């Protein structure tokens, strides 16, 4: 059973940076893709970024391209989301997720992920 725990959220001014971390336990971390999603009240959870099991391939939502970077350290069983040039519209609860299927494609939809963390709040003030 895979468990995910996010950390690193907080309050930051517009233009600032934050780094989120997601620590995984359970099944071999290097065998599955990981993703970050975010959600605001009254809205559906939306895709932010994803990374392949090896870390060699990534995918980003258009809204964060050039500002956010997803990475992983398989030796530490951790995936990161480096967020720069933050905007007030980036305010949300951020969730990491694991896709336990052994597929080539990088998953970008919520229904492709099997395990979710509890979420961490990111608030960007203007």
């Amino acid at each position: 059973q895979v468990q995910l725990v996010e950390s690193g959220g907080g309050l930051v001014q517009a233009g600032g940076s934050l780094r989120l971390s997601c620590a995984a336990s359970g099944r071999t971390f290097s065998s599955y893709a990981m993703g970050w999603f975010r959600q605001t009240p009254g809205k559906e959870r939306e895709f932010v970024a994803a990374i392949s099991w090896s870390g060699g391939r990534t995918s980003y939502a258009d809204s964060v391209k050039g500002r956010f970077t997803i990475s992983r350290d398989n030796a530490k069983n951790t995936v990161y989301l480096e967020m720069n040039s933050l905007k007030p519209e980036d305010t949300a609860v951020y969730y990491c997720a694991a896709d336990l299927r052994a597929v080539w494609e990088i998953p970008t939809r919520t229904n492709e992920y099997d395990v979710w963390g509890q979420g961490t709040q990111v608030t960007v003030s203007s």
Side-chain angles (χ1 to χ4, degrees):
Q1 184 74 8
V2 173
Q3 292 183 321
L4 305 174
V5 179
E6 301 100 333
S7 61
L11 173 64
V12 63
Q13 288 189 333
S17 299
L18 279 176
R19 188 176 82 155
L20 305 183
S21 300
C22 174
S25 61
R27 180 172 155 181
T28 305
F29 181 70
S30 59
S31 66
Y32 49 86
M34 295 291 296
W36 286 96
F37 289 75
R38 64 188 181 187
Q39 190 170 22
T40 54
K43 293 189 176 181
E44 292 188 356
R45 197 166 294 187
E46 66 171 359
F47 171 73
V48 175
I51 189 166
S52 63
W53 61 270
S54 67
R57 293 177 295 122
T58 57
S59 179
Y60 295 92
D62 288 343
S63 59
V64 306
K65 276 181 184 176
R67 299 189 300 121
F68 290 12
T69 302
I70 188 171
S71 62
R72 67 190 295 163
D73 185 338
N74 287 345
K76 295 183 178 180
N77 288 358
T78 302
V79 64
Y80 304 97
L81 185 67
E82 185 75 35
M83 304 185 295
N84 298 315
S85 301
L86 282 162
K87 305 174 182 180
E89 51 263 45
D90 294 318
T91 296
V93 177
Y94 283 71
Y95 298 89
C96 70
D99 175 6
L100 304 183
R101 305 169 301 154
V103 296
W104 175 254
E105 296 81 7
I106 295 179
T108 61
R109 294 175 291 187
T110 56
N111 63 4
E112 293 178 306
Y113 286 84
D114 305 288
V115 182
W116 294 82
Q118 83 288 351
T120 186
Q121 177 71 46
V122 171
T123 302
V124 184
S125 64
S126 57

Coordinates of all heavy atoms in Angstrom, one line a residue, residues 37-110:
F37 N -1.6 18.0 -8.4 CA -2.9 18.6 -8.8 C -3.2 19.7 -7.8 O -2.6 19.8 -6.7 CB -4.0 17.6 -8.8 CG -3.9 16.6 -9.9 CD1 -3.0 15.5 -9.9 CD2 -4.8 16.6 -11.0 CE1 -2.9 14.6 -10.9 CE2 -4.7 15.7 -12.0 CZ -3.8 14.7 -12.0
R38 N -4.1 20.5 -8.1 CA -4.6 21.6 -7.2 C -6.1 21.8 -7.2 O -6.7 21.5 -8.3 CB -3.8 22.9 -7.4 CG -4.1 23.5 -8.7 CD -3.2 24.7 -8.9 NE -3.4 25.4 -10.2 CZ -2.7 26.4 -10.7 NH1 -1.6 26.8 -10.0 NH2 -3.0 27.0 -11.8
Q39 N -6.6 22.3 -6.2 CA -8.1 22.4 -6.1 C -8.4 23.6 -5.2 O -7.8 23.9 -4.2 CB -8.7 21.2 -5.5 CG -10.2 21.2 -5.6 CD -10.8 19.8 -5.2 OE1 -10.2 19.0 -4.5 NE2 -12.0 19.5 -5.7
T40 N -9.4 24.4 -5.7 CA -9.9 25.6 -5.0 C -11.4 25.3 -4.7 O -12.0 24.5 -5.4 CB -9.8 26.9 -5.8 OG1 -10.4 26.7 -7.1 CG2 -8.3 27.3 -5.9
P41 N -11.9 25.9 -3.7 CA -13.3 25.6 -3.3 C -14.3 25.8 -4.4 O -14.2 26.8 -5.2 CB -13.6 26.6 -2.2 CG -12.2 26.9 -1.6 CD -11.3 26.8 -2.7
G42 N -15.2 24.8 -4.6 CA -16.2 24.9 -5.7 C -15.7 24.5 -7.0 O -16.5 24.5 -8.0
K43 N -14.4 24.2 -7.2 CA -13.9 23.8 -8.5 C -13.4 22.4 -8.5 O -13.0 21.8 -7.4 CB -12.8 24.8 -8.9 CG -13.3 26.2 -9.2 CD -12.2 27.0 -9.8 CE -12.7 28.4 -10.1 NZ -11.6 29.3 -10.8
E44 N -13.3 21.8 -9.7 CA -12.7 20.5 -9.8 C -11.2 20.5 -9.6 O -10.6 21.5 -9.9 CB -13.1 19.9 -11.1 CG -14.5 19.6 -11.3 CD -14.8 18.8 -12.6 OE1 -13.9 18.6 -13.3 OE2 -16.0 18.5 -12.8
R45 N -10.7 19.4 -9.2 CA -9.3 19.3 -9.0 C -8.6 19.3 -10.4 O -9.1 18.6 -11.3 CB -8.9 17.9 -8.3 CG -7.5 17.8 -7.8 CD -7.4 16.6 -6.8 NE -8.3 16.8 -5.7 CZ -8.2 16.0 -4.6 NH1 -7.4 14.9 -4.6 NH2 -9.0 16.2 -3.6
E46 N -7.6 20.1 -10.5 CA -7.0 20.3 -11.9 C -5.5 19.9 -11.9 O -4.8 20.0 -10.9 CB -7.1 21.8 -12.3 CG -6.3 22.8 -11.5 CD -6.2 24.1 -12.1 OE1 -6.8 24.3 -13.2 OE2 -5.6 25.0 -11.5
F47 N -5.1 19.4 -13.0 CA -3.8 18.9 -13.2 C -2.8 20.1 -13.2 O -3.0 21.1 -13.8 CB -3.7 18.2 -14.6 CG -2.3 17.9 -15.0 CD1 -1.6 16.8 -14.4 CD2 -1.7 18.6 -16.1 CE1 -0.3 16.5 -14.8 CE2 -0.4 18.3 -16.5 CZ 0.3 17.2 -15.9
V48 N -1.6 19.9 -12.6 CA -0.6 20.9 -12.5 C 0.7 20.3 -13.3 O 1.2 21.0 -14.2 CB -0.2 21.2 -11.1 CG1 1.0 22.2 -11.0 CG2 -1.4 21.8 -10.4
A49 N 1.2 19.2 -12.8 CA 2.4 18.6 -13.4 C 2.5 17.1 -13.1 O 1.9 16.7 -12.1 CB 3.6 19.4 -12.9
A50 N 3.2 16.4 -13.9 CA 3.5 15.0 -13.7 C 4.8 14.6 -14.2 O 5.4 15.3 -15.1 CB 2.4 14.2 -14.4
I51 N 5.3 13.5 -13.7 CA 6.7 13.1 -14.0 C 6.7 11.5 -14.1 O 6.0 10.9 -13.4 CB 7.7 13.6 -12.9 CG1 9.1 13.3 -13.4 CG2 7.4 12.9 -11.6 CD1 10.1 14.0 -12.5
S52 N 7.4 11.0 -15.1 CA 7.5 9.6 -15.3 C 8.2 8.9 -14.2 O 8.9 9.6 -13.4 CB 8.2 9.3 -16.6 OG 9.5 9.8 -16.6
W53 N 8.2 7.6 -14.1 CA 8.8 6.8 -13.1 C 10.3 7.1 -13.0 O 10.9 7.1 -11.9 CB 8.5 5.3 -13.2 CG 9.1 4.8 -14.5 CD1 8.5 4.7 -15.7 CD2 10.4 4.2 -14.7 NE1 9.3 4.1 -16.6 CE2 10.5 3.8 -16.0 CE3 11.5 4.0 -13.8 CZ2 11.6 3.2 -16.5 CZ3 12.6 3.4 -14.3 CH2 12.7 3.1 -15.7
S54 N 10.9 7.3 -14.1 CA 12.4 7.5 -14.1 C 12.8 9.0 -13.9 O 13.9 9.3 -13.6 CB 13.0 7.1 -15.4 OG 12.5 7.9 -16.5
G55 N 11.8 9.9 -14.1 CA 12.1 11.3 -14.0 C 12.5 11.9 -15.3 O 12.7 13.1 -15.4
G56 N 12.6 11.0 -16.3 CA 13.1 11.5 -17.6 C 12.1 12.3 -18.5 O 12.4 13.0 -19.4
R57 N 10.8 12.1 -18.1 CA 9.7 12.8 -18.9 C 8.8 13.5 -17.9 O 8.5 13.0 -16.9 CB 9.0 11.8 -19.7 CG 9.8 11.2 -20.9 CD 9.0 10.2 -21.6 NE 8.7 9.0 -20.8 CZ 7.4 8.6 -20.5 NH1 6.4 9.2 -21.1 NH2 7.2 7.6 -19.8
T58 N 8.4 14.7 -18.4 CA 7.5 15.5 -17.5 C 6.4 16.1 -18.4 O 6.5 16.2 -19.6 CB 8.2 16.7 -16.8 OG1 8.9 17.5 -17.8 CG2 9.3 16.2 -15.9
S59 N 5.3 16.6 -17.7 CA 4.2 17.2 -18.4 C 3.7 18.3 -17.5 O 3.7 18.1 -16.2 CB 3.1 16.2 -18.7 OG 2.0 16.9 -19.3
Y60 N 3.3 19.5 -18.1 CA 2.8 20.6 -17.3 C 1.5 21.2 -17.8 O 1.3 21.1 -19.1 CB 3.8 21.7 -17.3 CG 5.1 21.4 -16.6 CD1 6.2 20.8 -17.3 CD2 5.3 21.5 -15.2 CE1 7.4 20.5 -16.7 CE2 6.5 21.2 -14.6 CZ 7.5 20.7 -15.3 OH 8.7 20.4 -14.7
A61 N 0.7 21.7 -17.0 CA -0.4 22.5 -17.4 C 0.1 23.8 -18.0 O 1.1 24.3 -17.6 CB -1.3 22.8 -16.2
D62 N -0.6 24.3 -19.0 CA -0.2 25.5 -19.7 C -0.1 26.7 -18.7 O 0.8 27.5 -18.8 CB -1.2 25.9 -20.8 CG -1.1 25.0 -22.0 OD1 -0.1 24.2 -22.1 OD2 -2.1 24.9 -22.8
S63 N -0.9 26.7 -17.7 CA -0.9 27.8 -16.7 C 0.3 27.9 -15.8 O 0.6 28.9 -15.2 CB -2.2 27.7 -15.8 OG -2.2 26.4 -15.1
V64 N 1.1 26.8 -15.8 CA 2.3 26.8 -14.9 C 3.6 26.6 -15.7 O 4.7 26.7 -15.1 CB 2.2 25.7 -13.8 CG1 0.9 25.9 -13.0 CG2 2.3 24.3 -14.4
K65 N 3.5 26.3 -17.0 CA 4.7 26.1 -17.8 C 5.6 27.3 -17.7 O 5.2 28.5 -17.8 CB 4.3 25.9 -19.2 CG 3.9 24.5 -19.6 CD 3.6 24.3 -21.1 CE 3.2 22.9 -21.4 NZ 2.8 22.8 -22.8
G66 N 6.9 27.0 -17.5 CA 7.9 28.1 -17.3 C 8.0 28.6 -15.9 O 9.0 29.4 -15.7
R67 N 7.1 28.3 -15.1 CA 7.2 28.8 -13.7 C 7.3 27.7 -12.7 O 8.0 27.9 -11.6 CB 5.9 29.6 -13.3 CG 5.6 30.8 -14.2 CD 4.4 31.6 -13.7 NE 3.2 30.8 -13.7 CZ 2.5 30.6 -12.6 NH1 2.8 31.1 -11.4 NH2 1.3 29.9 -12.7
F68 N 6.7 26.5 -12.9 CA 6.8 25.4 -12.0 C 7.7 24.3 -12.6 O 7.8 24.1 -13.8 CB 5.4 24.8 -11.8 CG 4.5 25.6 -11.0 CD1 4.7 27.0 -10.7 CD2 3.3 25.1 -10.5 CE1 3.8 27.7 -10.0 CE2 2.4 25.8 -9.8 CZ 2.7 27.2 -9.5
T69 N 8.4 23.6 -11.7 CA 9.2 22.4 -12.2 C 9.0 21.2 -11.2 O 9.1 21.4 -10.0 CB 10.7 22.8 -12.1 OG1 11.0 23.9 -12.9 CG2 11.6 21.6 -12.6
I70 N 8.6 20.1 -11.9 CA 8.4 18.9 -11.1 C 9.7 18.1 -11.2 O 10.4 18.0 -12.3 CB 7.2 18.1 -11.6 CG1 6.9 16.9 -10.7 CG2 7.4 17.7 -13.0 CD1 5.6 16.2 -11.0
S71 N 10.1 17.4 -10.1 CA 11.3 16.6 -10.1 C 11.1 15.5 -9.1 O 10.1 15.5 -8.3 CB 12.6 17.4 -9.8 OG 12.5 17.9 -8.5
R72 N 11.9 14.5 -9.1 CA 11.8 13.4 -8.2 C 13.2 12.9 -7.8 O 14.1 13.0 -8.6 CB 11.0 12.3 -8.7 CG 11.5 11.5 -9.9 CD 10.4 10.6 -10.5 NE 10.1 9.5 -9.6 CZ 8.9 8.8 -9.7 NH1 8.1 9.1 -10.7 NH2 8.7 7.9 -8.8
D73 N 13.3 12.4 -6.6 CA 14.5 11.8 -6.1 C 14.1 10.3 -5.7 O 13.6 10.2 -4.6 CB 15.1 12.6 -5.0 CG 16.5 12.0 -4.5 OD1 16.7 10.8 -4.7 OD2 17.2 12.8 -3.9
N74 N 14.4 9.4 -6.5 CA 13.9 8.0 -6.2 C 14.7 7.4 -5.0 O 14.2 6.5 -4.4 CB 14.1 7.1 -7.5 CG 13.0 7.5 -8.5 OD1 12.0 8.1 -8.2 ND2 13.2 7.0 -9.7
A75 N 15.9 7.9 -4.8 CA 16.6 7.4 -3.6 C 16.0 7.9 -2.3 O 16.1 7.2 -1.3 CB 18.1 7.9 -3.7
K76 N 15.3 9.0 -2.4 CA 14.6 9.5 -1.2 C 13.1 9.3 -1.2 O 12.4 9.8 -0.3 CB 14.9 11.0 -1.1 CG 16.3 11.4 -0.8 CD 16.6 12.9 -0.7 CE 18.0 13.2 -0.4 NZ 18.3 14.6 -0.2
N77 N 12.6 8.6 -2.2 CA 11.2 8.4 -2.3 C 10.3 9.7 -2.3 O 9.3 9.7 -1.6 CB 10.7 7.4 -1.2 CG 11.2 6.0 -1.4 OD1 11.8 5.7 -2.4 ND2 10.9 5.1 -0.5
T78 N 10.8 10.7 -2.9 CA 10.2 12.0 -2.8 C 10.0 12.6 -4.2 O 11.0 12.5 -5.0 CB 11.0 12.9 -1.9 OG1 11.1 12.3 -0.6 CG2 10.3 14.3 -1.8
V79 N 8.9 13.3 -4.4 CA 8.7 14.1 -5.6 C 8.5 15.5 -5.1 O 8.0 15.8 -4.1 CB 7.5 13.6 -6.4 CG1 6.2 13.8 -5.6 CG2 7.4 14.3 -7.7
Y80 N 9.0 16.5 -6.0 CA 9.0 17.9 -5.6 C 8.2 18.7 -6.6 O 8.1 18.3 -7.8 CB 10.4 18.4 -5.5 CG 11.3 17.7 -4.6 CD1 12.2 16.7 -5.1 CD2 11.3 17.9 -3.2 CE1 13.0 15.9 -4.2 CE2 12.2 17.2 -2.4 CZ 13.0 16.2 -2.9 OH 13.8 15.5 -2.0
L81 N 7.7 19.8 -6.2 CA 7.2 20.8 -7.1 C 7.8 22.2 -6.7 O 7.4 22.7 -5.7 CB 5.7 20.9 -7.0 CG 5.0 21.8 -8.1 CD1 5.2 21.2 -9.5 CD2 3.5 21.9 -7.8
E82 N 8.7 22.6 -7.6 CA 9.3 23.9 -7.4 C 8.4 25.0 -8.1 O 8.2 24.9 -9.3 CB 10.7 24.0 -8.0 CG 11.5 25.2 -7.7 CD 12.0 25.4 -6.3 OE1 12.3 24.3 -5.7 OE2 12.0 26.5 -5.8
M83 N 7.9 25.9 -7.3 CA 7.0 26.9 -7.8 C 7.6 28.3 -7.7 O 7.9 28.8 -6.6 CB 5.7 26.9 -7.1 CG 5.0 25.5 -7.0 SD 3.4 25.5 -6.2 CE 3.9 25.9 -4.6
N84 N 7.8 28.9 -8.9 CA 8.4 30.3 -8.9 C 7.4 31.3 -9.6 O 6.4 30.8 -10.2 CB 9.7 30.2 -9.8 CG 10.7 29.4 -9.1 OD1 11.0 29.4 -7.9 ND2 11.4 28.5 -10.0
S85 N 7.7 32.5 -9.4 CA 6.8 33.6 -9.9 C 5.4 33.3 -9.6 O 4.5 33.4 -10.5 CB 7.0 33.7 -11.5 OG 8.4 33.9 -11.8
L86 N 5.1 33.0 -8.4 CA 3.7 32.7 -8.0 C 2.8 33.8 -8.2 O 3.1 35.0 -8.0 CB 3.8 32.2 -6.5 CG 4.3 30.8 -6.4 CD1 4.7 30.5 -4.9 CD2 3.2 29.8 -6.8
K87 N 1.5 33.5 -8.5 CA 0.5 34.4 -8.7 C -0.7 34.1 -7.8 O -0.8 33.0 -7.3 CB 0.0 34.3 -10.2 CG 1.0 34.5 -11.2 CD 0.5 34.2 -12.6 CE 1.5 34.3 -13.7 NZ 0.9 34.0 -15.0
P88 N -1.5 35.1 -7.5 CA -2.6 34.9 -6.6 C -3.5 33.7 -7.1 O -4.1 33.0 -6.3 CB -3.4 36.2 -6.6 CG -2.3 37.2 -6.8 CD -1.3 36.6 -7.8
E89 N -3.6 33.6 -8.4 CA -4.4 32.5 -9.0 C -3.9 31.1 -8.8 O -4.5 30.1 -9.1 CB -4.7 32.7 -10.4 CG -3.5 33.0 -11.3 CD -3.3 34.5 -11.5 OE1 -3.4 35.3 -10.5 OE2 -3.0 34.9 -12.6
D90 N -2.6 31.0 -8.2 CA -2.0 29.8 -7.9 C -2.5 29.3 -6.5 O -2.2 28.2 -6.1 CB -0.5 29.8 -7.9 CG 0.0 30.1 -9.3 OD1 -0.4 29.5 -10.3 OD2 1.0 30.9 -9.4
T91 N -3.2 30.1 -5.8 CA -3.7 29.8 -4.5 C -4.6 28.6 -4.6 O -5.6 28.6 -5.4 CB -4.5 31.0 -3.8 OG1 -3.5 32.0 -3.6 CG2 -5.1 30.6 -2.5
A92 N -4.4 27.5 -3.8 CA -5.1 26.3 -3.9 C -4.6 25.3 -2.8 O -3.5 25.5 -2.3 CB -5.1 25.7 -5.3
V93 N -5.3 24.2 -2.7 CA -4.8 23.1 -2.0 C -4.1 22.2 -3.0 O -4.7 21.9 -4.0 CB -5.8 22.3 -1.2 CG1 -5.2 21.0 -0.6 CG2 -6.5 23.1 -0.2
Y94 N -2.8 21.9 -2.8 CA -2.1 21.1 -3.7 C -2.0 19.7 -3.2 O -1.6 19.4 -2.1 CB -0.7 21.7 -3.9 CG -0.7 22.9 -4.8 CD1 -1.2 24.1 -4.3 CD2 -0.1 22.9 -6.1 CE1 -1.2 25.2 -5.1 CE2 -0.2 24.0 -6.9 CZ -0.7 25.2 -6.4 OH -0.7 26.3 -7.2
Y95 N -2.2 18.7 -4.2 CA -2.2 17.3 -3.9 C -1.2 16.6 -4.7 O -1.1 16.9 -5.9 CB -3.5 16.7 -4.1 CG -4.7 17.2 -3.3 CD1 -5.4 18.3 -3.8 CD2 -5.0 16.6 -2.1 CE1 -6.5 18.8 -3.0 CE2 -6.1 17.1 -1.4 CZ -6.8 18.2 -1.8 OH -7.9 18.7 -1.1
C96 N -0.4 15.7 -4.1 CA 0.4 14.8 -5.0 C -0.4 13.5 -5.1 O -1.2 13.1 -4.3 CB 1.8 14.6 -4.4 SG 1.8 13.6 -2.9
A97 N 0.0 12.8 -6.2 CA -0.8 11.5 -6.5 C 0.2 10.6 -7.2 O 1.2 11.0 -7.8 CB -2.0 11.8 -7.4
A98 N -0.1 9.3 -7.0 CA 0.7 8.2 -7.6 C -0.2 7.4 -8.6 O -1.3 7.0 -8.3 CB 1.2 7.3 -6.5
D99 N 0.4 7.2 -9.8 CA -0.3 6.3 -10.8 C 0.5 5.0 -10.7 O 1.6 4.9 -11.2 CB -0.2 7.0 -12.1 CG -0.7 6.0 -13.2 OD1 -1.2 5.0 -12.9 OD2 -0.6 6.4 -14.4
L100 N -0.1 4.0 -10.2 CA 0.5 2.7 -9.9 C 0.5 1.8 -11.2 O 1.1 0.7 -11.1 CB -0.1 2.0 -8.8 CG -0.2 2.7 -7.4 CD1 -0.8 1.9 -6.3 CD2 1.2 3.2 -7.0
R101 N -0.1 2.2 -12.3 CA -0.1 1.4 -13.5 C 1.3 1.5 -14.1 O 1.9 2.5 -14.1 CB -1.1 1.9 -14.4 CG -2.6 2.0 -13.9 CD -3.4 2.8 -14.9 NE -2.9 4.1 -15.1 CZ -3.2 4.8 -16.2 NH1 -3.9 4.3 -17.2 NH2 -2.7 6.1 -16.3
A102 N 1.7 0.5 -14.8 CA 2.9 0.5 -15.5 C 2.7 0.8 -17.0 O 2.6 0.0 -17.8 CB 3.6 -0.9 -15.4
V103 N 2.4 2.1 -17.2 CA 2.2 2.6 -18.6 C 3.2 3.6 -19.0 O 3.8 4.2 -18.2 CB 0.7 3.2 -18.7 CG1 -0.3 2.1 -18.4 CG2 0.6 4.4 -17.7
W104 N 3.3 3.7 -20.3 CA 4.3 4.7 -20.8 C 3.9 6.1 -20.7 O 4.7 7.0 -20.5 CB 4.6 4.3 -22.3 CG 5.5 5.3 -23.0 CD1 5.2 6.2 -23.9 CD2 7.0 5.4 -22.7 NE1 6.4 6.9 -24.3 CE2 7.4 6.4 -23.6 CE3 7.9 4.7 -21.9 CZ2 8.8 6.8 -23.6 CZ3 9.2 5.1 -21.9 CH2 9.6 6.1 -22.8
E105 N 2.6 6.3 -21.0 CA 2.1 7.7 -21.0 C 2.2 8.4 -19.7 O 2.0 7.7 -18.6 CB 0.6 7.7 -21.5 CG 0.3 7.2 -22.9 CD 0.3 5.7 -22.9 OE1 0.3 5.1 -21.9 OE2 0.2 5.2 -24.1
I106 N 2.4 9.7 -19.7 CA 2.4 10.4 -18.4 C 1.0 10.8 -18.1 O 0.3 11.4 -18.9 CB 3.3 11.7 -18.6 CG1 4.7 11.3 -18.8 CG2 3.1 12.5 -17.3 CD1 5.6 12.5 -19.0
P107 N 0.5 10.3 -17.0 CA -0.9 10.6 -16.6 C -1.2 12.0 -16.3 O -0.4 12.7 -15.5 CB -1.2 9.7 -15.4 CG 0.2 9.5 -14.8 CD 1.2 9.6 -15.9
T108 N -2.3 12.6 -16.8 CA -2.6 14.0 -16.5 C -4.1 14.1 -16.0 O -4.5 15.2 -15.7 CB -2.5 14.9 -17.8 OG1 -3.3 14.4 -18.8 CG2 -1.0 14.8 -18.3
R109 N -4.8 13.0 -15.9 CA -6.2 13.1 -15.5 C -6.3 12.5 -14.1 O -5.6 11.5 -13.8 CB -7.1 12.4 -16.5 CG -7.1 13.0 -17.8 CD -7.9 12.2 -18.8 NE -7.3 11.0 -19.2 CZ -7.7 10.1 -20.1 NH1 -8.8 10.4 -20.8 NH2 -7.0 9.1 -20.4
T110 N -7.2 13.0 -13.3 CA -7.4 12.6 -11.9 C -7.7 11.1 -11.9 O -7.3 10.4 -11.0 CB -8.5 13.4 -11.2 OG1 -9.7 13.3 -11.9 CG2 -8.1 14.8 -11.0

